[in-house]
Amino acid sequence: MRKIFSVVCQIIAGFFFYMVSIMAFTSGFPVWGKAAMMAGVSVPAFVALAIALALTGLRNWKRDTGVMLLSMSAFNGFGILTMACMWMSEEFRRMMPPDSFANFGAYFAGAVVLAAFAILGWVLFKSGGGTAEQGVA
């Protein structure tokens, strides 16, 4: 039961980290305002992650956190790629209001945050993995 609740908390943490990375793509806010919003959404992410790791007794915390960050980054990246591909379609652009994506113009900041999450996830995953001989599957 603890493992199931731990996985649920990992999913919740991944969702909030996903929201942080989506917020990095928003434009029209001052830098300090966007940073404050991202920090505010990070709080429940860290709380959920701490609960998930505490439920597993901090076993394989690097691997579990790395998998969560990599999964969140991949999901976000595929979502952004999907929207970019849809936006290239003339029919889709005619269907949408002209300013529907006006608030998502900070491509560089969003890409940096998304890459940072992906790199951190990869580093944690690689440093926290074990071998089959050590009993870590």
Side-chain angles (χ1 to χ4, degrees), residues 22 24-28 34 101-110:
I22 286 291
F25 283 94
T26 60
S27 58
K34 184 160 61 167
F101 291 105
N103 291 334
F104 291 98
Y107 302 119
F108 181 74

Side-chain angles (χ1 to χ4, degrees), residues 2-15 17 45 48-73 117-118 120-130 135-137:
R2 285 185 344 171
K3 185 67 173 172
I4 292 171
F5 193 58
S6 174
V7 169
V8 169
C9 287
Q10 286 267 355
I11 292 170
I12 292 169
F15 170 76
F17 282 126
L49 182 60
I51 292 171
L53 296 177
L55 287 171
T56 60
L58 294 177
R59 281 187 315 272
N60 303 321
W61 72 271
K62 288 182 182 180
R63 185 196 65 186
D64 294 345
T65 304
V67 166
M68 184 264 306
L69 288 174
L70 282 171
S71 300
M72 176 275 307
S73 298
F117 276 134
L120 178 62
W122 180 257
V123 167
L124 285 172
F125 178 72
K126 291 306 273 184
S127 68
V136 178

Side-chain angles (χ1 to χ4, degrees), residues 81-133:
L81 181 66
T82 300
M83 289 308 296
C85 290
M86 287 173 51
W87 195 251
M88 290 191 305
S89 165
E90 182 66 34
E91 183 180 344
F92 181 76
R93 284 194 306 254
R94 279 185 282 148
M95 213 171 39
M96 300 297 289
D99 59 344
S100 58
F101 291 105
N103 291 334
F104 291 98
Y107 302 119
F108 181 74
V112 167
V113 170
L114 189 58
F117 276 134
I119 290 168
L120 178 62
W122 180 257
V123 167
L124 285 172
F125 178 72
K126 291 306 273 184
S127 68
T131 63
E133 294 85 28

